[in-house]
Amino acid sequence: MNTKYYKTWEQYLAEHPEIDEKQAKAMAPKMQGYEDMMFSFIMFLLM
Amino acid sequence: MADAKALAQERTQLFHDIIDGRIPKRVPVFVGFPVEFAIQYAGKDLVEAQWDTSQLEEIFDKVCRDFYSDLLPVNAFRFPSFYRILGARNFVMGSNGFLQHPEVEGLLQEEYDDFIANPYNCIIEKILPRLYTELDTDASTKALTLAKAFKAFQDEMGNAIMIYGKLTEKYGYGDTNFFAGFTEAPLDFVADQLRGFKGISTDMRRVPDKVEAAAEAATPLMIKAGLHPIPPSKYNATFIPLHMAPFMRTSDFERFYWPSFKKLVEALAEAGHPSHLFVEQDWMRYLDYLYELPENTVMRFEYGDPKLVKEKLGQKHIISGFYPISLLKTGTKQQCIDKARELIDILAPGGRYYFDFDKAPVTLDSVNVENTRAVLEFVATNANY
């Protein structure tokens, strides 16, 4: 999706070079999960 | 508990058999009673119980206890809390406690190009603030309001899912989920809350290219929305209620509805998520199209000719529905049972069929409870292969 309101983990990581590899691996599923939960909520509001 | 586990295994097997193309031991039963029906059946107040959702376990338990189903027969997903926090114009609780869905226009006709260029940006920046009045404000207040609503949504859904788990275990319901995800046909998405029924009907005449492009632009969002977090499985389906097609000319359906809808169902299937379609109204004109969808698409029909549907779709897809809940209200017990027998005789041969009503009874007075229970018991007891 080409939007500033939804970021894939890869996009997020590219914007945050301060995150090291170990942290990135640990946080990726949770961060992506919250992004997807918000997307689902927004779409639910219109369905 | 051991009995409930054995029952759950047996019920799961019934659904796995119809999905795997085997003849099950008997016709599986899966009916759904909405939260409004359940609250009224339990003798509770509609307004209070939808706000104080700690009552829902007791309420749903009564339905599970009294109405036969092989899968969990209760559900709730539109709670007033988050709609109220957001100042919703599209879902508003009336004084009678029912959540009404007024005709709304979230997207103006002159905004089609914005939506087509970037649908998600358009949703966040234009459509949401128009439909949710509390988001039509400064950025800081908007952020706090959305945070409250998201919290309410998660709390309500979390509570409901916990109750579903308890009742599934208690009553031994089968482990197949036809509501694992939720999305819409792209044109329905554009029609329902963006342009409204009246708006989209006009647009198909006046700005047909934009309608076509908008449905196409919405498709990736609808696919993503339908990819639920439950691991892909042929036994868990994404629910897609279908709205506009029966109200369209066939040539309009072919241009505006079908291409993006087919793309959606195929994309979900490719990702391992079958679709569960609620084929609302009468789709008999479109059966040849439905046949083209990926094998084992679950289709619950509201109206139409069950013989024709069985003949055209019964070898490839999973069929359900057709049983008129209006008969449960007006018929004698024997007439109701005879109707169930008639539909089973048509739809059950060869498998790939489970019993369900043509629609969910929204209110308690939309059916005669004794007739409803008698029909469900009849199918569960007699519809053996």
Side-chain angles (χ1 to χ4, degrees):
Chain A
M1 273 195 300
N2 174 28
T3 173
K4 61 182 174 181
Y5 302 113
Y6 177 91
K7 287 190 173 73
T8 62
W9 169 246
E10 290 73 22
Q11 288 170 323
Y12 182 88
L13 197 57
E15 291 175 10
H16 294 276
E18 76 279 8
I19 300 173
D20 65 37
E21 200 176 327
K22 187 180 177 190
Q23 278 195 79
K25 197 176 170 190
M27 67 198 281
K30 188 167 270 189
M31 295 294 282
Q32 187 65 61
Y34 285 129
E35 192 74 11
D36 286 331
M37 284 164 74
M38 182 54 82
F39 170 83
S40 296
F41 177 55
I42 297 291
M43 296 310 294
F44 175 82
L45 291 175
L46 297 176
M47 291 199 277
Chain B
M1 191 61 74
D3 285 350
K5 275 189 179 163
L7 193 55
Q9 278 180 356
E10 190 180 321
R11 287 164 155 173
T12 300
Q13 191 61 49
L14 294 175
F15 281 92
H16 284 194
D17 282 344
I18 62 168
I19 291 165
D20 292 336
R22 291 190 295 266
I23 306 287
K25 192 172 153 192
R26 70 160 162 80
V27 170
V29 176
F30 176 33
V31 290
F33 296 94
V35 66
E36 295 91 342
F37 178 98
I39 291 168
Q40 290 182 325
Y41 182 71
K44 301 285 186 179
D45 183 85
L46 265 175
V47 174
E48 289 171 14
Q50 287 180 89
W51 278 97
D52 175 13
T53 47
S54 66
Q55 299 182 35
L56 283 184
E57 184 173 350
E58 178 194 345
I59 287 166
F60 284 160
D61 192 291
K62 280 189 165 56
V63 173
C64 294
R65 188 191 62 198
D66 292 351
F67 296 90
Y68 189 89
S69 179
D70 291 311
L71 303 181
L72 181 73
V74 288
N75 66 77
F77 58 96
R78 297 200 189 279
F79 296 96
S81 54
F82 50 85
Y83 287 122
R84 187 76 213 181
I85 289 167
L86 292 166
R89 292 174 54 229
N90 51 348
F91 291 98
V92 183
M93 183 179 273
S95 56
N96 59 3
F98 283 93
L99 215 53
Q100 311 286 343
H101 175 38
E103 172 91 340
V104 290
E105 185 183 43
L107 179 77
L108 305 181
Q109 194 184 70
E110 55 267 31
E111 292 171 337
Y112 262 113
D113 288 341
D114 293 334
F115 183 82
I116 293 161
N118 197 319
Y120 201 60
N121 282 5
C122 185
I123 284 170
I124 300 290
E125 293 166 2
K126 295 186 175 170
I127 298 170
L128 282 184
R130 190 169 287 134
L131 294 181
Y132 292 95
T133 58
E134 298 293 333
L135 297 179
D136 188 14
T137 183
D138 64 278
S140 301
T141 308
K142 189 186 295 195
L144 292 173
T145 301
L146 194 62
K148 277 189 284 184
F150 187 61
K151 170 77 170 117
F153 177 78
Q154 294 301 328
D155 285 351
E156 302 287 26
M157 293 301 182
N159 177 55
I161 288 167
M162 185 195 65
I163 294 169
Y164 300 159
K166 281 186 184 177
L167 294 174
T168 296
E169 199 174 331
K170 179 176 177 181
Y171 288 96
Y173 291 123
D175 182 19
T176 296
N177 190 346
F178 287 164
F179 292 91
F182 176 42
T183 191
E184 282 192 334
L187 187 77
D188 284 334
F189 179 74
V190 176
D192 285 354
Q193 298 188 47
L194 274 53
R195 295 293 300 133
F197 186 86
K198 192 177 163 193
I200 200 76
S201 302
T202 306
D203 297 346
M204 284 190 281
R205 305 277 76 77
R206 291 193 183 159
V207 287
D209 292 348
K210 292 186 191 300
V211 174
E212 190 176 18
E216 202 172 306
T219 304
L221 295 184
M222 297 297 99
I223 293 170
K224 183 163 175 53
L227 295 173
H228 53 77
I230 298 172
S233 159
K234 59 182 171 176
Y235 307 120
N236 295 324
T238 295
F239 179 59
I240 311 177
L242 308 178
H243 299 146
M244 281 298 295
F247 304 101
M248 298 168 71
R249 297 190 301 200
T250 302
S251 57
D252 288 340
F253 169 84
E254 288 167 343
R255 178 178 181 186
F256 301 118
Y257 198 99
W258 177 248
S260 53
F261 170 53
K262 184 167 184 265
K263 199 182 285 183
L264 166 69
V265 177
E266 287 177 343
L268 294 176
E270 276 168 26
H273 301 274
S275 294
H276 166 207
L277 311 178
F278 180 25
V279 189
E280 290 187 45
Q281 268 289 333
D282 186 336
W283 275 63
M284 295 306 103
R285 272 187 291 153
Y286 303 129
L287 293 184
D288 291 335
Y289 292 94
L290 292 176
Y291 182 81
E292 290 178 30
L293 294 175
E295 186 177 3
N296 274 355
T297 299
V298 181
M299 301 180 185
R300 176 202 188 182
F301 286 85
E302 185 174 14
Y303 304 129
D305 179 352
K307 282 183 186 161
L308 192 61
V309 168
K310 184 68 178 177
E311 180 190 317
K312 289 205 165 198
L313 306 177
Q315 300 295 312
K316 185 177 181 183
H317 299 306
I318 312 294
I319 307 301
S320 187
F322 286 118
Y323 188 100
I325 62 162
S326 56
L327 183 65
L328 297 173
K329 172 78 175 172
T330 59
T332 64
K333 190 186 281 187
Q334 193 56 50
Q335 285 171 327
C336 292
I337 288 172
D338 288 347
K339 185 68 184 177
R341 198 193 313 266
E342 175 195 321
L343 283 171
I344 288 165
D345 285 347
I346 295 167
L347 293 165
R352 291 185 181 277
Y353 166 67
Y354 69 91
F355 182 87
D356 195 358
F357 301 132
D358 63 348
K359 61 177 79 63
V362 177
T363 58
L364 186 58
D365 67 359
S366 54
V367 295
N368 173 317
V369 165
E370 289 311 310
N371 285 348
T372 308
R373 292 174 61 176
V375 165
L376 296 174
E377 288 295 336
F378 169 80
V379 180
T381 311
N382 294 283
N384 299 310
Y385 279 94

